[in-house]
Amino acid sequence: MIHNLRAELSERGRPSVTMWNRVEGRPRSPDFDRALRAEIRDGLWMLTRQWQMGEFHGDDAGSPVLAKVQVAQAPLATFQARDAIPAAYDGSRPLEAVAERRALDHLTAGALDLRMMLGRRFLKLIPPVYRHFFIERYSFDAPDPGDENDTERVAHLEVYALLQSLAGRAMDGYRLYRHLTASPSNTPITGIPVADIDKPAIIEAGSALVAWFEAMIERPDWQAAWDPAHLEHRFAVTANVADGAKRLVAEEYPGGRLDWTAFSVDPAGGRGSGPLAEASTTIPTATRFNGMPDRRWWAFEDGRTNLGDVGVDTTDLARLLFLEFALAYGNDWFTIPYELPVGTLATVAGLAVTNVFGERLWIEPAGRGVDDDWRRWSMFTLDVAGTGAEPADTSLFLPPALPQSNGGPPLEDVVFMRDEVANLVWAVERVVPLASGTGKRGSEAAEETLAHRRRLAGLPPDGPVTGDAAAPISYRAMTTVPENWIPFVVMHVPGDVRETQLQRGAMVRVMEGVPPGDRIRPRTTLLRVGLDQTPAAPYHVFEEEVPRAGTQVSLAYQRARWRDGRVLLWLAATRVSGSGEASSGLAFDHLLPTPPAS
């Protein structure tokens, strides 16, 4: 109990006397309606509210009222896929379509749906009297069930039935397309009796077919950006700046979603500062974000963002900084809008800010110094490739990328997994392309193919049948694995005694009626790298590209609409993380009981 309150206040003997933490009305009536009105009639009460909110604590600072931004812009000029020659890039296509598009290699072995579509389109462009001539000349070949080379077209019932129905009844438009593009002098009327009056129309129909097909699906002009040795895309873009060309490289783009984080500045490809900066004057506005305290005193805040419910540890520096910004300094930040065209490399020279006191301040970009300096702070800036003491790059890159694209069903899907028991890396073809143009589960396709080969060899579909004279036990030198499991063996890098890489191998097909040494080959274009060329070349994958978790690569069509309204379609490979190790069950030297005779 304080006996002399005036003396205590004057001498400040008890500072806690003045530490009020609540300033509010105390109504003496059970009705709170008037108290909740917050009627403004007491000036002292309003002053105490200002004191409670800390408005009497002045800061030696002024709010910005005007900002002039100095930004240099440089659009993209060229695109370079891997080690190919740089080609001009005008922004008419999204960068994903240019970087991910690959050759349509599966058309040479199948894709009957696309072949039929090309044939139907051409037949609609020519007079009906000539349609049967083109169907006879460019018809689908009927598969031969007894031919070993037609195994993949006969083993699968849906493909065999489709080819039987198409033979002699439909036109293979892709054969005509290859004939027209093989030489500029080739025309559709080669080998077909056509009246002179109809020749110009049919020749024009052939040109229209080629133009339509080449515009429908995006294909690389020279070399695809997909690097099969690293299982990812590798490309570069350049932008013309003041003192040269600045080169941005994307060395590890897995496909799918492309953003500025996939690029790094090539220190050897030019480090120009950009063209002359252009000034843009704007009015700064206070930054607003979800969960921010509402400016109005009597207002209910949105509870969808609860910053008080954020779980954070004492070592979680990023979350601590975020909470400190949101709860303590959120109202000290201002937003300065600036419109940047898509596909532009921008360099911010600085900001000229004028505050309420008439002071003009020049603010330069943060993050200057050596790029690898751990004390350097930067955000949304590009990294400089390499580990040398290169100066940091403070430019901003807004790539001409898509917000999203629609992916079709996978035509191919391969999972690279490590098998520690067999000491191998397996590339499991989970989805293989069929001649019909669709994908099928790799295990089912392998079983159907094996059953067809056994029928050709005159063997029962489930294995050899033993007779009464068979021994009670059997010796098996090696167990088998499904034919959709392709082995990769560890090999030394040529010229290096320590570094290793993975080389594609092959399992031997052990079956009666099959020539000795017959090898099982992959069916997906992702794994047939080098097999279809003459002479065949080995396929290597860097060992670090297959971690213990494995990696998955799929091939599918992508469809998107660009900013000018055009619809783009391209075939792209996408890489994601795998699901762990696997065991193939491969074993050697087994003694097994002989099954009884059937």
Side-chain angles (χ1 to χ4, degrees):
M1 181 177 180
I2 302 175
H3 298 284
N4 190 348
L5 183 60
R6 184 183 298 274
E8 293 292 341
L9 291 175
S10 61
E11 296 176 1
R12 298 182 180 272
R14 300 187 182 187
S16 61
V17 173
T18 59
M19 295 298 292
W20 309 105
N21 57 4
R22 297 182 67 87
V23 179
E24 61 185 10
R26 298 181 62 184
R28 300 179 181 273
S29 171
D31 187 7
F32 285 84
D33 292 343
R34 184 178 178 184
L36 294 177
R37 293 176 188 170
E39 297 177 350
I40 302 176
R41 64 174 64 184
D42 190 350
L44 180 59
W45 184 86
M46 295 297 298
L47 292 175
T48 54
R49 296 298 290 174
Q50 289 182 275
W51 165 78
Q52 183 187 17
M53 299 300 297
E55 295 183 5
F56 294 157
H57 294 280
D59 296 330
D60 188 12
S63 300
V65 295
L66 196 65
K68 183 173 292 186
V69 187
Q70 300 281 346
V71 180
Q73 302 179 9
L76 296 183
T78 63
F79 174 86
Q80 180 183 8
R82 295 171 60 186
D83 300 327
I85 300 175
Y89 177 76
D90 55 359
S92 60
R93 293 176 176 84
L95 209 52
E96 290 100 333
V98 180
E100 297 176 359
R101 60 186 182 180
R102 54 190 294 136
L104 305 179
D105 298 330
H106 65 288
L107 287 179
T108 59
L112 300 180
D113 51 356
L114 189 56
R115 289 172 174 263
M116 286 189 297
M117 182 175 64
L118 287 172
R120 289 196 301 265
R121 185 173 183 85
F122 178 76
L123 294 179
K124 291 180 180 179
L125 299 177
I126 64 175
V129 68
Y130 300 106
R131 291 178 180 176
H132 68 282
F133 292 106
F134 284 94
I135 293 176
E136 291 178 359
R137 180 172 179 82
Y138 300 101
S139 63
F140 289 92
D141 298 330
D144 184 5
D147 190 357
E148 174 70 20
N149 298 325
D150 280 349
T151 297
E152 295 183 0
R153 304 202 304 165
V154 178
H156 314 298
L157 182 60
E158 61 271 33
V159 177
Y160 180 63
L162 180 60
L163 284 172
Q164 287 286 68
S165 62
L166 293 178
R169 299 181 180 91
M171 175 184 172
D172 187 353
Y174 186 68
R175 291 181 57 186
L176 175 61
Y177 169 79
R178 294 184 60 184
H179 169 71
L180 296 177
T181 56
S183 174
S185 59
N186 291 345
T187 62
I189 60 177
T190 303
I192 296 179
V194 178
D196 295 340
I197 192 174
D198 295 328
K199 289 182 179 180
I202 297 179
I203 294 176
E204 180 64 24
S207 302
L209 179 70
V210 173
W212 174 78
F213 181 57
E214 292 182 349
M216 181 180 64
I217 303 178
E218 299 289 331
R219 278 162 289 181
D221 299 330
W222 178 250
Q223 184 183 30
W226 176 258
D227 187 358
H230 290 87
L231 302 178
E232 52 203 3
H233 302 85
R234 187 161 55 91
F235 61 95
V237 294
T238 59
N240 294 327
V241 293
D243 51 354
K246 182 177 290 187
R247 189 169 184 265
L248 308 180
V249 295
E251 296 286 348
E252 300 177 353
Y253 173 54
R257 181 72 174 90
L258 180 62
D259 209 344
W260 63 272
T261 54
F263 295 88
S264 299
V265 179
D266 186 4
R271 297 291 302 279
S273 57
L276 297 178
E278 298 180 357
S280 176
T281 304
T282 59
I283 299 177
T285 59
T287 301
R288 304 294 298 174
F289 53 88
N290 292 336
M292 186 176 185
D294 201 288
R295 292 181 177 181
R296 298 176 298 173
W297 180 258
W298 299 105
F300 290 98
E301 298 172 357
D302 192 354
R304 289 179 297 180
T305 304
N306 188 3
L307 298 176
D309 194 35
V310 178
V312 60
D313 298 328
T314 56
T315 57
D316 198 344
L317 182 60
R319 291 189 181 181
L320 288 173
L321 291 174
F322 170 73
L323 290 178
E324 186 177 13
F325 157 76
L327 299 176
Y329 304 105
N331 58 346
D332 294 338
W333 290 78
F334 289 82
T335 302
I336 300 176
Y338 185 84
E339 294 185 1
L340 188 65
V342 176
T344 302
L345 182 66
T347 302
V348 181
L351 302 176
V353 181
T354 304
N355 59 18
V356 293
F357 299 113
E359 299 175 338
R360 298 194 64 187
L361 305 175
W362 176 254
I363 303 174
E364 296 183 353
R368 300 182 303 276
V370 181
D371 181 71
D372 291 337
D373 188 359
W374 65 272
R375 297 169 296 180
R376 187 178 67 89
W377 184 93
S378 65
M379 181 177 288
F380 305 116
T381 57
L382 296 173
D383 176 53
V384 178
T387 58
E390 299 289 340
D393 192 283
T394 59
S395 57
L396 307 175
F397 181 45
L398 185 60
L402 292 166
Q404 70 176 41
S405 61
N406 298 325
L411 298 178
E412 300 179 6
D413 189 80
V414 179
V415 179
F416 291 83
M417 299 182 295
R418 290 190 175 272
D419 186 357
E420 297 297 340
V421 177
N423 195 22
L424 290 173
V425 170
W426 296 96
V428 182
E429 296 179 317
R430 298 202 306 181
V431 177
V432 298
L434 298 182
S436 60
T438 60
K440 187 170 186 175
R441 187 184 297 271
S443 57
E444 297 179 3
E447 292 177 359
E448 294 175 355
T449 304
L450 180 61
H452 177 71
R453 293 183 184 276
R454 297 187 67 86
R455 287 194 297 268
L456 289 179
L459 301 176
D462 297 332
V465 178
T466 60
D468 297 336
I473 59 174
S474 302
Y475 170 73
R476 180 174 297 177
M478 180 184 67
T479 61
T480 60
V481 297
E483 292 193 358
N484 61 318
W485 287 54
I486 308 300
F488 277 74
V489 187
V490 178
M491 305 288 291
H492 278 286
V493 175
D496 197 314
V497 296
R498 300 186 62 182
E499 188 177 359
T500 58
Q501 61 184 352
L502 301 174
Q503 179 174 336
R504 178 190 55 208
M507 298 294 293
V508 178
R509 182 178 288 111
V510 181
M511 184 189 305
E512 296 183 11
V514 175
D518 186 22
R519 299 181 180 182
I520 302 173
R521 296 299 186 184
R523 299 179 58 173
T524 58
T525 59
L526 293 172
L527 298 182
R528 292 188 62 86
V529 179
L531 276 182
D532 299 324
Q533 65 185 38
T534 305
Y539 174 38
H540 298 94
V541 176
F542 287 93
E543 193 170 5
E544 62 271 13
E545 301 299 337
V546 186
R548 295 191 62 181
T551 186
Q552 178 181 352
V553 183
S554 59
L555 190 67
Y557 280 103
Q558 301 291 328
R559 185 179 184 272
R561 188 180 296 274
W562 192 222
R563 57 191 177 188
D564 56 359
R566 292 186 299 114
V567 176
L568 301 174
L569 182 68
W570 69 95
L571 185 65
T574 306
R575 175 184 176 182
V576 296
S577 299
S579 57
E581 300 179 0
S583 177
S584 61
L586 182 64
F588 302 89
D589 299 329
H590 272 203
L591 287 178
L592 303 174
T594 302
S598 58

